[in-house]
Amino acid sequence: MRRSADDRVFRITTGMFAAIVLLLVIGIGFELWRQSMLSIDKFGFRFWTGRVWDPVSGEFGALPFIWGTLYSSFLALLLSTPIALGIAIYISELSPGMLRQPLAYLTELLAAIPSIVYGLWGVFVLTPIVRKLELLLPESLRRTPFFSGPPLGVGMGMAAIILSIMVIPFTSSVAREILKNVPIAQREAAYALGATRWEAIKVAIGFGKTGIIGAIMLGLGRALGETMAVTMVIGNNPQISPSLYAPQYTMAAVIANEFTEAADDLYLHALIEIGLLLFIITIFVNFISRFFIWTTKQRMERPA
Amino acid sequence: MLTAIDMERFNAALAPSAAALESMNAKISVRDFDFFYGSAKVLHGITLDIPDRQVTALIGPSGCGKSTFIRSINRMNDIIPNARAKGTISIDGRAIYSSDTDVVSLRRRVGMVFQRSNPFPKSIYDNIAYGLRIGGMRNRRELNNVVERSLIRAALWDEVKDRLNESAFALSGGQQQRLCIARALAVDPEVLLMDEPASALDPIATTKIEELIWDLKVNYTIVIVTHNMQQAARVSDRTAFFMLGRLVEYADTKTIFMNPKEKMTEDYVTGRFG
């Protein structure tokens, strides 16, 4: 009798902690909304499409930041996805057993490095290298919109490189987990039909496809919200350009840079509204990615 | 005047030994075959001949090595680290563990069906076509023909012909297992290995698989591992009884079940242990 009462108390306490997390998320969303009311009322939807960000005249449009965030994240995924999947496939399928754990540990270590350190490394080590590479790029490519502008080193391309390195451990460790959990029966079925090693790996990837997409999106969620390292290398200039050379700006970076200088309420509310949008986007992306990973795991636990 | 030696030769010519008869139409010949997982020896000097276009059942208690043995015939055990084979298995006289064996083409000649059905998360059609596609077949009409023929052979065509593009996971357990049989047949193997193909199925689905095995042996050499003694008695022509990694007795199924030579075999088939 007493024991079952203990159980109930235990369940209620832990349940409360779980509820707190949920309440926190809702509370944050509500506060962000409440504290951006001024901006929401004044600009409405125009806030998302406006290209002018002028605190002096009180004109705020967030499109350059939204563009910068989405574009840098997209480019980062473009770079990180093949590398992260390559790492995941190597570790789970091809590496000798002895190397497996150390390699997995090392990739995960990348995630433990503070982003300010990535930023410093980006500024002092990578930027000069990237600048040299930018100078080496043939003139014909420099005339395309993707590489137009002066080769500064800092800019969209630099941010994408830093971001991709930061995203790799997330994507690769989840993808590795997915591949590891693909039932051996799937590979055996392929081998028994005369599949080569690579074809059997493709079957495993096919089986975990949804989960691997989830892993990539988890990386996307990470890239969207990354602040410090990007702020240090992207150039912080609110413009919309496809050029990798162009200094641009992201949502997280503008909040970090300008929050302390937001003197009037409208300015502050405009920044918080950017935060609100970032909050919604990242929650949405994370939700979708978790859902993909979850459905894949469900299928794997099924006796198949 | 005939000498004693002549007499012996004469008798031998008149009545060739059973072993000699067997080896004449043996599809698979196994000689002194040992198998190791790391340092653990799990098969000890297996020697037997599996006849062409007949059903050979492998029976024995759990852990007796029958699954390891059947998986040695298409070298499925190669994917297990530290697994090692000694001795020879030959199919049509060619040693499959020799260094010049192409494992990929061996596995296309020796199909396999597993204990649990393991369809790919693809459509019914794409499951059957998988083996052909990795073999390089691209012609849609050819693929259609083979998919249809394989499903007919696996007695599944009538049930799925209108929904070939549906996911294979939508099929019932018994249908999934027949799909896996059809998938194995699609690459046109000569030998079909079945590792307890009906152990996860209900009695009706099991009956269907057993009937199918009877039909298939016209064209294929079938080796089946089973835990179910009645099943071995029903479907097989020859039965091999394994125990602790050794082949205890191998003979006509009727002999094994009615009149076994070894005491151990008799105890096992009559259910005194197992």
Side-chain angles (χ1 to χ4, degrees), chain A residues 4 16 45 91 103 118 125 138 170 185 195 205 214 244 265-266 295 304:
Chain A
S4 76
M16 256 162 53
F45 191 64
I91 293 179
L103 277 176
Y118 276 107
V125 181
F170 291 85
I205 294 171
L244 303 186
D265 283 350
L266 182 64
T295 50

Side-chain angles (χ1 to χ4, degrees), chain B residues 209-228:
Chain B
I209 299 278
E210 288 179 6
E211 283 168 357
L212 181 57
I213 293 171
W214 265 113
D215 296 339
L216 289 174
K217 75 167 180 176
V218 180
N219 295 305
Y220 305 94
T221 301
I222 296 175
V223 184
I224 177 172
V225 164
T226 177
H227 253 113
N228 179 332

Side-chain angles (χ1 to χ4, degrees), chain A residues 85 88-89 92-93 108 170-184 186-187 201 203-216 218 289-301:
Chain A
L85 294 189
I89 291 169
S92 71
E93 308 280 335
E108 267 152 38
F170 291 85
T171 308
S172 85
S173 71
V174 176
R176 181 167 52 83
E177 199 65 26
I178 297 274
L179 284 176
K180 202 178 81 187
N181 286 323
V182 171
I184 180 85
Q186 287 285 316
R187 292 161 216 266
I201 291 173
V203 164
I205 294 171
F207 193 88
K209 194 169 50 192
T210 325
I212 289 173
I213 294 172
I216 295 168
L218 198 69
S289 64
R290 294 289 175 188
F291 180 74
F292 281 166
I293 295 167
W294 177 77
T295 50
T296 309
K297 286 206 167 141
Q298 287 296 101
R299 197 171 64 196
M300 287 169 180
E301 277 154 21

Side-chain angles (χ1 to χ4, degrees), chain B residues 122-182:
Chain B
K122 300 170 187 273
S123 70
I124 294 169
Y125 185 98
D126 288 339
N127 261 280
I128 310 288
Y130 176 82
L132 301 163
R133 285 188 172 134
I134 61 172
M137 190 189 284
R138 289 282 173 272
N139 182 313
R140 188 77 191 185
R141 181 174 299 166
E142 253 179 286
L143 282 173
N144 290 345
N145 285 339
V146 182
V147 167
E148 177 172 350
R149 196 178 63 218
S150 309
L151 284 168
I152 289 172
R153 282 194 174 170
L156 190 59
W157 175 249
D158 290 332
E159 291 158 64
V160 302
K161 64 183 171 200
D162 300 321
R163 46 181 183 140
L164 293 176
N165 291 319
E166 273 177 39
S167 165
F169 287 154
L171 299 174
S172 73
Q175 288 173 325
Q176 285 190 15
Q177 192 60 300
R178 276 179 285 148
L179 178 79
C180 292
I181 293 173

Side-chain angles (χ1 to χ4, degrees), chain B residues 11-25:
Chain B
N11 283 339
L14 267 185
S17 69
L21 256 184
E22 269 169 33
S23 64
M24 279 164 68
N25 69 346

